[in-house]
Coordinates of all heavy atoms in Angstrom, one line a residue:
M189 N 14.1 -25.9 -1.2 CA 13.2 -24.9 -0.7 C 12.7 -25.4 0.7 O 11.7 -26.0 0.7 CB 11.9 -24.6 -1.5 CG 12.2 -23.8 -2.8 SD 10.8 -23.1 -3.6 CE 9.6 -24.5 -3.7
Q190 N 13.5 -25.2 1.6 CA 13.1 -25.7 3.0 C 12.8 -24.6 4.0 O 12.0 -24.8 4.8 CB 14.4 -26.4 3.6 CG 14.7 -27.8 2.8 CD 13.5 -28.7 2.8 OE1 12.9 -28.9 3.9 NE2 13.2 -29.4 1.7
T191 N 13.4 -23.4 3.8 CA 13.1 -22.3 4.7 C 12.1 -21.3 4.0 O 12.0 -21.3 2.9 CB 14.3 -21.5 5.1 OG1 14.8 -20.8 4.0 CG2 15.4 -22.5 5.7
R192 N 11.5 -20.5 4.9 CA 10.6 -19.6 4.4 C 11.2 -18.5 3.5 O 10.7 -18.0 2.5 CB 9.8 -18.9 5.6 CG 8.8 -19.8 6.1 CD 8.2 -19.0 7.4 NE 7.1 -19.8 8.0 CZ 7.3 -20.6 9.0 NH1 8.5 -21.0 9.4 NH2 6.3 -21.3 9.5
D193 N 12.6 -18.2 3.9 CA 13.3 -17.3 2.9 C 13.6 -17.9 1.7 O 13.5 -17.1 0.7 CB 14.7 -16.9 3.7 CG 14.4 -16.0 4.8 OD1 13.4 -15.3 4.9 OD2 15.4 -15.9 5.7
D194 N 13.9 -19.2 1.6 CA 14.2 -19.9 0.3 C 12.9 -19.8 -0.5 O 12.8 -19.5 -1.7 CB 14.6 -21.3 0.5 CG 15.9 -21.5 1.1 OD1 16.7 -20.6 1.1 OD2 16.2 -22.7 1.5
I195 N 11.7 -20.1 0.2 CA 10.4 -20.1 -0.6 C 10.1 -18.8 -1.1 O 9.8 -18.6 -2.2 CB 9.4 -20.7 0.4 CG1 9.6 -22.2 0.7 CG2 7.9 -20.5 -0.2 CD1 8.8 -22.7 1.9
F196 N 10.3 -17.8 -0.4 CA 10.0 -16.3 -0.7 C 10.9 -16.0 -1.9 O 10.4 -15.5 -2.9 CB 10.2 -15.3 0.4 CG 10.1 -13.9 -0.1 CD1 8.9 -13.4 -0.4 CD2 11.3 -13.2 -0.2 CE1 8.9 -12.0 -1.0 CE2 11.2 -11.8 -0.7 CZ 10.0 -11.3 -1.0
N197 N 12.2 -16.3 -1.9 CA 13.1 -15.8 -3.0 C 12.6 -16.6 -4.2 O 12.6 -16.0 -5.3 CB 14.5 -16.3 -2.6 CG 15.0 -15.3 -1.5 OD1 14.7 -14.0 -1.5 ND2 16.0 -15.8 -0.8
T198 N 12.3 -18.0 -4.1 CA 11.9 -18.7 -5.3 C 10.6 -18.1 -5.8 O 10.4 -18.0 -7.0 CB 11.8 -20.2 -5.0 OG1 13.0 -20.7 -4.5 CG2 11.4 -21.0 -6.2
L199 N 9.6 -17.9 -5.0 CA 8.4 -17.3 -5.3 C 8.6 -15.9 -6.0 O 7.9 -15.7 -7.0 CB 7.4 -17.2 -4.1 CG 6.1 -16.7 -4.3 CD1 5.4 -17.6 -5.3 CD2 5.3 -16.6 -3.1
R200 N 9.3 -15.0 -5.4 CA 9.7 -13.7 -6.0 C 10.2 -13.9 -7.5 O 9.7 -13.3 -8.3 CB 10.6 -12.9 -5.1 CG 10.7 -11.6 -5.7 CD 11.8 -10.7 -4.9 NE 13.0 -11.5 -4.9 CZ 13.8 -11.5 -3.9 NH1 13.6 -10.9 -2.8 NH2 15.0 -12.2 -4.0
D201 N 11.2 -14.8 -7.6 CA 11.7 -14.9 -8.9 C 10.7 -15.5 -9.8 O 10.7 -15.0 -11.1 CB 12.9 -16.0 -8.9 CG 14.1 -15.4 -8.1 OD1 14.2 -14.2 -7.8 OD2 15.0 -16.2 -7.7
A202 N 9.8 -16.4 -9.4 CA 8.8 -16.9 -10.3 C 7.8 -15.7 -10.6 O 7.3 -15.7 -11.9 CB 8.0 -18.0 -9.6
L203 N 7.4 -15.0 -9.8 CA 6.4 -13.8 -10.1 C 7.1 -12.9 -11.1 O 6.4 -12.4 -12.0 CB 6.1 -13.1 -8.8 CG 5.1 -13.9 -7.8 CD1 5.1 -13.3 -6.4 CD2 3.7 -13.9 -8.4
V204 N 8.4 -12.6 -10.9 CA 9.1 -11.7 -11.8 C 9.2 -12.3 -13.2 O 8.8 -11.6 -14.2 CB 10.6 -11.4 -11.2 CG1 11.3 -10.6 -12.3 CG2 10.4 -10.5 -10.0
E205 N 9.4 -13.5 -13.3 CA 9.6 -14.3 -14.5 C 8.3 -14.5 -15.2 O 8.2 -14.2 -16.4 CB 10.4 -15.6 -14.3 CG 10.6 -16.4 -15.5 CD 11.2 -17.8 -15.3 OE1 11.9 -18.0 -14.3 OE2 10.8 -18.7 -16.0
L206 N 7.4 -15.0 -14.5 CA 6.1 -15.3 -15.2 C 5.3 -14.2 -15.5 O 4.6 -14.2 -16.6 CB 5.3 -16.3 -14.2 CG 5.9 -17.7 -14.0 CD1 5.0 -18.2 -12.8 CD2 5.8 -18.5 -15.1
F207 N 5.3 -13.2 -14.7 CA 4.3 -12.1 -14.9 C 5.0 -10.8 -15.1 O 4.3 -9.6 -15.1 CB 3.5 -11.9 -13.7 CG 2.8 -13.2 -13.3 CD1 3.1 -13.8 -12.1 CD2 2.0 -14.0 -14.2 CE1 2.4 -15.1 -11.9 CE2 1.4 -15.2 -13.9 CZ 1.6 -15.8 -12.6
E208 N 6.4 -10.7 -15.4 CA 7.1 -9.5 -15.8 C 6.8 -8.5 -14.7 O 6.8 -7.4 -15.0 CB 6.8 -9.1 -17.1 CG 7.2 -10.2 -18.2 CD 6.7 -9.8 -19.6 OE1 6.2 -8.6 -19.8 OE2 7.0 -10.5 -20.5
L209 N 7.0 -8.8 -13.5 CA 6.8 -7.9 -12.3 C 8.2 -7.2 -12.0 O 9.2 -7.9 -12.0 CB 6.3 -8.5 -11.1 CG 4.8 -8.9 -11.4 CD1 4.3 -9.7 -10.0 CD2 3.8 -7.8 -11.6
D210 N 8.3 -6.1 -11.5 CA 9.5 -5.4 -11.0 C 9.7 -6.1 -9.5 O 8.8 -6.2 -8.7 CB 9.2 -3.9 -10.7 CG 10.4 -3.2 -10.2 OD1 11.3 -4.0 -9.6 OD2 10.3 -2.1 -10.1
P211 N 10.9 -6.6 -9.3 CA 11.2 -7.3 -8.0 C 10.8 -6.5 -6.8 O 10.5 -7.1 -5.8 CB 12.6 -7.8 -8.2 CG 12.9 -7.7 -9.7 CD 12.0 -6.7 -10.3
A212 N 11.0 -5.2 -7.0 CA 10.8 -4.3 -5.9 C 9.3 -4.2 -5.5 O 9.0 -3.9 -4.3 CB 11.2 -2.9 -6.2
R213 N 8.5 -4.6 -6.3 CA 7.0 -4.6 -6.0 C 6.7 -5.9 -5.1 O 5.5 -6.0 -4.6 CB 6.2 -4.7 -7.2 CG 6.2 -3.3 -8.0 CD 5.3 -3.5 -9.2 NE 3.9 -3.7 -8.9 CZ 2.9 -4.2 -9.8 NH1 3.4 -4.2 -11.1 NH2 1.9 -4.4 -9.5
V214 N 7.5 -6.9 -5.3 CA 7.1 -8.1 -4.6 C 7.7 -8.2 -3.2 O 8.9 -8.3 -3.0 CB 7.5 -9.3 -5.3 CG1 7.2 -10.7 -4.7 CG2 7.1 -9.4 -6.8
S215 N 6.9 -8.1 -2.1 CA 7.2 -8.2 -0.8 C 6.3 -9.2 -0.2 O 5.3 -9.6 -0.7 CB 7.2 -7.0 0.0 OG 5.8 -6.6 0.2
L216 N 6.6 -9.6 1.2 CA 5.7 -10.6 1.8 C 4.3 -10.0 2.0 O 3.4 -10.8 2.1 CB 6.3 -11.0 3.2 CG 7.4 -12.0 3.2 CD1 8.2 -12.0 4.5 CD2 7.2 -13.3 2.7
D217 N 4.1 -8.7 2.1 CA 2.8 -8.2 2.3 C 2.1 -7.7 1.1 O 1.1 -7.2 1.2 CB 3.1 -6.9 3.2 CG 3.5 -7.3 4.6 OD1 3.0 -8.5 5.1 OD2 4.4 -6.6 5.2
S218 N 2.7 -8.0 -0.1 CA 2.1 -7.8 -1.4 C 0.8 -8.6 -1.5 O 0.9 -9.8 -1.4 CB 3.1 -7.9 -2.6 OG 4.2 -7.2 -2.5
N219 N -0.3 -7.9 -1.8 CA -1.5 -8.6 -2.2 C -1.4 -9.0 -3.6 O -1.1 -8.3 -4.5 CB -2.7 -7.7 -2.0 CG -4.1 -8.5 -2.1 OD1 -4.3 -8.8 -3.2 ND2 -4.8 -8.5 -1.2
L220 N -1.6 -10.4 -3.8 CA -1.5 -11.1 -5.2 C -2.5 -10.3 -6.1 O -2.0 -10.0 -7.3 CB -1.8 -12.4 -5.1 CG -0.7 -13.3 -4.3 CD1 -1.4 -14.7 -4.3 CD2 0.6 -13.3 -4.9
Y221 N -3.6 -10.0 -5.8 CA -4.6 -9.5 -6.6 C -4.7 -8.0 -6.7 O -4.8 -7.6 -7.9 CB -6.0 -10.2 -6.2 CG -5.9 -11.6 -6.0 CD1 -5.9 -12.1 -4.8 CD2 -5.8 -12.5 -7.0 CE1 -5.8 -13.5 -4.6 CE2 -5.7 -13.8 -7.0 CZ -5.6 -14.4 -5.6 OH -5.5 -15.7 -5.5
Q222 N -4.5 -7.3 -5.7 CA -4.6 -5.9 -5.8 C -3.2 -5.3 -6.2 O -3.1 -4.5 -7.1 CB -5.0 -5.3 -4.5 CG -6.4 -5.7 -4.3 CD -6.9 -5.4 -2.8 OE1 -6.1 -4.9 -1.9 NE2 -8.2 -5.6 -2.5
D223 N -2.2 -5.6 -5.5 CA -0.8 -5.1 -5.6 C -0.1 -5.5 -6.8 O 0.5 -4.7 -7.6 CB 0.1 -5.3 -4.4 CG -0.5 -4.7 -3.1 OD1 -1.3 -3.7 -3.2 OD2 -0.3 -5.1 -2.0
L224 N -0.2 -6.9 -7.0 CA 0.6 -7.4 -8.2 C -0.3 -7.8 -9.4 O 0.3 -8.3 -10.5 CB 1.2 -8.8 -7.7 CG 2.1 -8.6 -6.5 CD1 2.7 -10.0 -6.0 CD2 3.2 -7.6 -6.7
E225 N -1.7 -7.6 -9.3 CA -2.6 -7.7 -10.4 C -2.6 -9.1 -11.0 O -2.6 -9.3 -12.2 CB -2.3 -6.6 -11.4 CG -2.4 -5.2 -10.9 CD -1.9 -4.2 -11.8 OE1 -1.7 -4.5 -13.1 OE2 -1.8 -2.9 -11.5
I226 N -2.5 -10.1 -10.1 CA -2.5 -11.4 -10.5 C -4.1 -11.8 -10.6 O -4.9 -11.6 -9.8 CB -1.8 -12.4 -9.5 CG1 -0.5 -12.0 -9.1 CG2 -2.1 -13.9 -9.8 CD1 0.6 -12.4 -10.2
D227 N -4.4 -12.4 -11.8 CA -5.8 -12.9 -11.9 C -5.9 -14.3 -11.6 O -4.9 -15.0 -11.4 CB -6.3 -12.4 -13.3 CG -5.7 -13.0 -14.5 OD1 -5.0 -14.1 -14.3 OD2 -5.8 -12.5 -15.6
S228 N -7.0 -14.9 -11.9 CA -7.3 -16.3 -11.6 C -6.5 -17.2 -12.5 O -5.9 -18.3 -12.2 CB -8.8 -16.7 -11.6 OG -9.4 -16.4 -13.0
I229 N -6.4 -16.9 -13.8 CA -5.6 -17.7 -14.7 C -4.1 -17.6 -14.4 O -3.4 -18.6 -14.3 CB -5.8 -17.1 -16.2 CG1 -7.2 -17.4 -16.7 CG2 -4.9 -17.9 -17.1 CD1 -7.6 -16.9 -17.8
D230 N -3.7 -16.4 -13.9 CA -2.2 -16.3 -13.4 C -2.0 -17.1 -12.2 O -0.9 -17.8 -12.1 CB -1.9 -14.8 -13.1 CG -1.9 -13.9 -14.3 OD1 -1.7 -14.4 -15.4 OD2 -2.1 -12.6 -14.2
A231 N -2.9 -17.3 -11.4 CA -2.9 -18.0 -10.1 C -2.6 -19.5 -10.5 O -1.9 -20.2 -9.8 CB -4.1 -17.8 -9.3
V232 N -3.4 -20.0 -11.6 CA -3.2 -21.4 -11.9 C -1.8 -21.5 -12.5 O -1.2 -22.5 -12.2 CB -4.2 -21.7 -13.1 CG1 -4.0 -23.1 -13.7 CG2 -5.7 -21.6 -12.5
D233 N -1.3 -20.6 -13.2 CA 0.0 -20.7 -13.7 C 1.1 -20.8 -12.5 O 2.1 -21.5 -12.5 CB 0.4 -19.5 -14.5 CG -0.4 -19.5 -15.9 OD1 -0.7 -20.7 -16.3 OD2 -0.4 -18.5 -16.5
L234 N 0.8 -19.9 -11.5 CA 1.6 -20.0 -10.4 C 1.6 -21.2 -9.5 O 2.6 -21.8 -9.2 CB 1.3 -18.8 -9.5 CG 2.1 -18.5 -8.2 CD1 3.5 -18.2 -8.7 CD2 1.7 -17.4 -7.4
I235 N 0.4 -21.8 -9.5 CA 0.3 -23.0 -8.8 C 1.0 -24.2 -9.6 O 1.8 -25.0 -9.0 CB -1.3 -23.5 -8.6 CG1 -2.0 -22.6 -7.6 CG2 -1.4 -25.1 -8.3 CD1 -3.5 -22.8 -7.6
D236 N 0.9 -24.1 -10.9 CA 1.7 -25.0 -11.7 C 3.2 -24.9 -11.6 O 4.0 -25.8 -11.4 CB 1.4 -24.8 -13.1 CG 1.9 -26.0 -14.0 OD1 1.7 -27.2 -13.8 OD2 2.5 -25.7 -15.0
H237 N 3.6 -23.7 -11.4 CA 5.1 -23.4 -11.2 C 5.5 -23.9 -9.9 O 6.6 -24.6 -9.8 CB 5.3 -21.9 -11.4 CG 6.8 -21.6 -11.3 ND1 7.6 -21.7 -12.4 CD2 7.6 -21.1 -10.3 CE1 8.9 -21.3 -12.0 NE2 8.8 -21.1 -10.8
I238 N 4.8 -23.7 -8.9 CA 5.0 -24.3 -7.5 C 5.2 -25.8 -7.6 O 6.1 -26.4 -7.0 CB 4.1 -23.7 -6.5 CG1 4.2 -22.3 -6.3 CG2 4.2 -24.6 -5.2 CD1 3.2 -21.6 -5.5
K239 N 4.2 -26.3 -8.3 CA 4.2 -27.9 -8.5 C 5.5 -28.4 -9.1 O 6.2 -29.2 -8.6 CB 3.0 -28.4 -9.2 CG 2.9 -29.8 -9.3 CD 1.8 -30.2 -10.1 CE 1.8 -31.7 -10.3 NZ 0.6 -32.2 -11.1
R240 N 5.9 -27.7 -10.1 CA 7.2 -28.1 -10.8 C 8.4 -27.8 -10.0 O 9.3 -28.6 -10.0 CB 7.3 -27.3 -12.2 CG 6.5 -27.7 -13.3 CD 6.7 -27.2 -14.6 NE 7.0 -25.7 -14.6 CZ 6.1 -24.8 -14.8 NH1 4.8 -25.2 -15.1 NH2 6.4 -23.6 -14.8
Q241 N 8.4 -26.9 -9.1 CA 9.5 -26.6 -8.2 C 9.6 -27.5 -7.1 O 10.7 -27.9 -6.6 CB 9.5 -25.2 -7.7 CG 9.6 -24.1 -8.7 CD 11.1 -24.1 -9.3 OE1 12.0 -24.1 -8.5 NE2 11.2 -24.0 -10.6
T242 N 8.4 -27.8 -6.5 CA 8.4 -28.7 -5.3 C 8.0 -30.2 -5.5 O 8.3 -31.0 -4.6 CB 7.3 -28.1 -4.3 OG1 6.0 -28.3 -4.9 CG2 7.5 -26.7 -3.9
G243 N 7.5 -30.4 -6.7 CA 7.0 -31.7 -6.9 C 5.7 -32.1 -6.2 O 5.2 -33.3 -6.3
K244 N 5.2 -31.2 -5.5 CA 3.9 -31.2 -4.9 C 2.8 -30.1 -5.3 O 3.3 -29.1 -5.6 CB 4.2 -31.2 -3.2 CG 5.1 -32.3 -2.9 CD 5.4 -32.1 -1.3 CE 6.5 -33.1 -0.9 NZ 6.6 -33.2 0.5
K245 N 1.7 -30.6 -5.2 CA 0.6 -29.6 -5.7 C -0.1 -29.1 -4.6 O -0.6 -29.7 -3.6 CB -0.4 -30.4 -6.6 CG -1.3 -29.4 -7.1 CD -2.2 -30.2 -8.2 CE -3.0 -29.2 -9.0 NZ -4.3 -29.1 -9.0
I246 N -0.3 -27.8 -4.5 CA -1.1 -27.0 -3.6 C -2.7 -27.3 -3.8 O -3.0 -27.2 -5.1 CB -0.8 -25.5 -3.6 CG1 0.6 -25.2 -3.0 CG2 -1.8 -24.8 -2.7 CD1 1.0 -23.7 -2.9
A247 N -3.5 -27.7 -3.0 CA -4.8 -27.9 -3.2 C -5.5 -26.7 -3.6 O -5.2 -25.6 -3.0 CB -5.5 -28.5 -2.0
A248 N -6.4 -26.8 -4.6 CA -7.0 -25.6 -5.0 C -7.8 -24.8 -4.0 O -7.7 -23.6 -3.8 CB -8.0 -25.8 -6.3
E249 N -8.2 -25.7 -3.0 CA -9.1 -25.1 -2.0 C -8.2 -24.2 -1.0 O -8.6 -23.2 -0.5 CB -9.8 -26.2 -1.0 CG -10.5 -27.2 -1.8 CD -9.8 -28.4 -2.4 OE1 -8.9 -28.9 -1.7 OE2 -9.9 -28.5 -3.7
E250 N -7.0 -24.8 -0.8 CA -6.0 -24.0 0.0 C -5.6 -22.7 -0.6 O -5.4 -21.6 0.0 CB -4.8 -24.8 0.4 CG -3.9 -24.2 1.3 CD -2.9 -25.0 1.9 OE1 -2.9 -26.3 1.7 OE2 -2.0 -24.5 2.8
F251 N -5.4 -22.8 -1.9 CA -5.0 -21.6 -2.7 C -6.0 -20.5 -2.7 O -5.7 -19.3 -2.9 CB -4.5 -21.8 -4.1 CG -3.5 -20.9 -4.7 CD1 -2.1 -21.1 -4.2 CD2 -3.8 -19.9 -5.5 CE1 -1.2 -20.2 -4.7 CE2 -2.9 -19.1 -5.9 CZ -1.6 -19.1 -5.5
K252 N -7.2 -20.9 -2.7 CA -8.4 -19.9 -2.6 C -8.2 -19.0 -1.5 O -8.7 -17.9 -1.5 CB -9.7 -20.6 -2.7 CG -10.1 -21.2 -3.9 CD -11.4 -22.0 -3.7 CE -11.8 -22.6 -5.1 NZ -13.1 -23.4 -5.0
S253 N -7.6 -19.4 -0.4 CA -7.6 -18.6 0.8 C -6.4 -17.6 0.9 O -6.3 -16.8 1.7 CB -7.6 -19.5 2.1 OG -6.4 -20.2 2.1
V254 N -5.5 -17.8 0.0 CA -4.3 -16.9 -0.1 C -4.6 -15.6 -0.7 O -5.4 -15.5 -1.7 CB -3.1 -17.6 -0.7 CG1 -2.7 -18.8 -0.2 CG2 -3.4 -17.7 -2.3
R255 N -4.1 -14.6 -0.1 CA -4.2 -13.2 -0.5 C -3.0 -12.5 -0.7 O -2.9 -11.6 -1.7 CB -5.1 -12.3 0.5 CG -6.5 -12.9 0.7 CD -7.4 -12.6 -0.6 NE -8.6 -13.0 -0.6 CZ -9.0 -14.3 -1.0 NH1 -8.2 -14.9 -1.8 NH2 -10.3 -14.8 -1.0
T256 N -1.9 -12.8 0.2 CA -0.6 -12.2 0.0 C 0.4 -13.2 -0.4 O 0.3 -14.3 -0.3 CB -0.3 -11.4 1.4 OG1 -0.1 -12.5 2.3 CG2 -1.3 -10.5 1.8
V257 N 1.7 -12.6 -0.6 CA 2.7 -13.5 -0.9 C 3.0 -14.2 0.4 O 3.4 -15.4 0.2 CB 4.0 -12.5 -1.4 CG1 5.2 -13.3 -1.5 CG2 3.6 -11.8 -2.8
R258 N 2.9 -13.6 1.5 CA 3.2 -14.3 2.7 C 2.4 -15.6 2.8 O 2.7 -16.7 3.3 CB 3.0 -13.4 4.0 CG 3.4 -14.1 5.3 CD 3.1 -13.2 6.5 NE 3.3 -11.7 6.3 CZ 4.6 -11.2 6.6 NH1 5.6 -12.1 7.0 NH2 4.7 -9.9 6.4
D259 N 1.0 -15.4 2.4 CA 0.1 -16.5 2.5 C 0.6 -17.7 1.6 O 0.5 -18.9 2.0 CB -1.3 -16.2 2.1 CG -2.0 -15.1 3.0 OD1 -1.5 -15.0 4.2 OD2 -2.8 -14.5 2.5
V260 N 1.1 -17.3 0.5 CA 1.5 -18.4 -0.5 C 2.9 -19.1 0.1 O 3.0 -20.2 0.2 CB 2.0 -17.8 -1.9 CG1 2.6 -18.9 -2.7 CG2 0.8 -17.2 -2.5
V261 N 3.8 -18.2 0.7 CA 5.0 -18.8 1.3 C 4.6 -19.7 2.4 O 5.2 -20.8 2.6 CB 5.9 -17.6 1.9 CG1 7.0 -18.2 2.8 CG2 6.5 -16.8 0.7
E262 N 3.7 -19.4 3.2 CA 3.2 -20.3 4.4 C 2.6 -21.6 3.7 O 2.8 -22.7 4.3 CB 2.2 -19.5 5.2 CG 2.8 -18.5 6.2 CD 3.9 -19.1 7.0 OE1 3.8 -20.2 7.6 OE2 4.9 -18.4 7.2
A263 N 1.8 -21.4 2.7 CA 1.1 -22.6 2.1 C 2.2 -23.6 1.5 O 2.2 -24.8 1.8 CB 0.2 -22.3 0.9
V264 N 3.2 -23.1 0.9 CA 4.3 -23.9 0.4 C 5.1 -24.4 1.5 O 5.4 -25.5 1.4 CB 5.1 -23.1 -0.6 CG1 6.4 -23.9 -1.1 CG2 4.3 -22.6 -1.9
Y265 N 5.3 -23.6 2.5 CA 6.2 -24.2 3.6 C 5.4 -25.3 4.3 O 6.2 -26.4 4.5 CB 6.4 -23.0 4.7 CG 7.1 -23.4 5.9 CD1 8.6 -23.5 5.8 CD2 6.6 -23.7 7.1 CE1 9.4 -23.8 6.8 CE2 7.4 -24.0 8.2 CZ 8.8 -24.1 8.0 OH 9.7 -24.5 9.1
R266 N 4.2 -25.3 4.3 CA 3.4 -26.4 5.0 C 3.5 -27.7 4.1 O 3.6 -28.8 4.5 CB 2.0 -26.2 5.3 CG 1.8 -25.1 6.5 CD 0.3 -25.1 6.9 NE -0.6 -24.4 5.8 CZ -0.8 -23.2 5.6 NH1 -0.2 -22.3 6.4 NH2 -1.5 -22.7 4.6
L267 N 3.5 -27.4 2.8 CA 3.5 -28.4 1.7 C 5.0 -29.1 1.7 O 4.8 -30.4 1.6 CB 3.2 -27.7 0.4 CG 3.1 -28.8 -0.8 CD1 1.7 -29.4 -0.6 CD2 3.0 -27.8 -2.1
V268 N 6.0 -28.4 1.8 CA 7.3 -29.1 1.8 C 7.9 -29.7 3.1 O 8.9 -30.3 3.0 CB 8.3 -28.2 1.1 CG1 7.8 -27.7 -0.3 CG2 8.5 -27.0 2.0
Q269 N 7.2 -29.3 4.2 CA 7.7 -30.0 5.5 C 7.3 -31.4 5.7 O 6.2 -31.7 5.3 CB 7.0 -29.1 6.8 CG 7.6 -27.7 6.8 CD 9.1 -27.6 6.9 OE1 9.8 -28.2 7.6 NE2 9.7 -27.0 5.8
P270 N 8.3 -32.1 6.0 CA 8.0 -33.6 6.2 C 7.0 -33.7 7.3 O 6.9 -33.1 8.2 CB 9.3 -34.1 6.6 CG 10.2 -33.0 7.0 CD 9.6 -31.9 6.4
A271 N 6.1 -34.7 7.1 CA 5.0 -35.0 8.1 C 5.8 -35.5 9.4 O 6.7 -36.2 9.3 CB 4.2 -36.1 7.6
A272 N 5.2 -35.0 10.5 CA 5.8 -35.3 11.8 C 5.3 -36.7 12.3 O 4.2 -37.1 11.9 CB 5.5 -34.2 12.8

């Protein structure tokens, strides 16, 4: 998962698998809580799934600020990029 597209595709697959969502509902602009009906427990499951995929954990404080799928993609992108 190096590019934003890779991250989005992996994230979309995870949302479909974990929460039985229709893939057509998952876009970069989808709101996790309103459009996809993800609750706080689901968010913890999603964070755990991301950790298993990347080997790195998103800080809970950072995840509190995400609202859309694009926000999650950006948070994961920052996480997986090597430090400059």
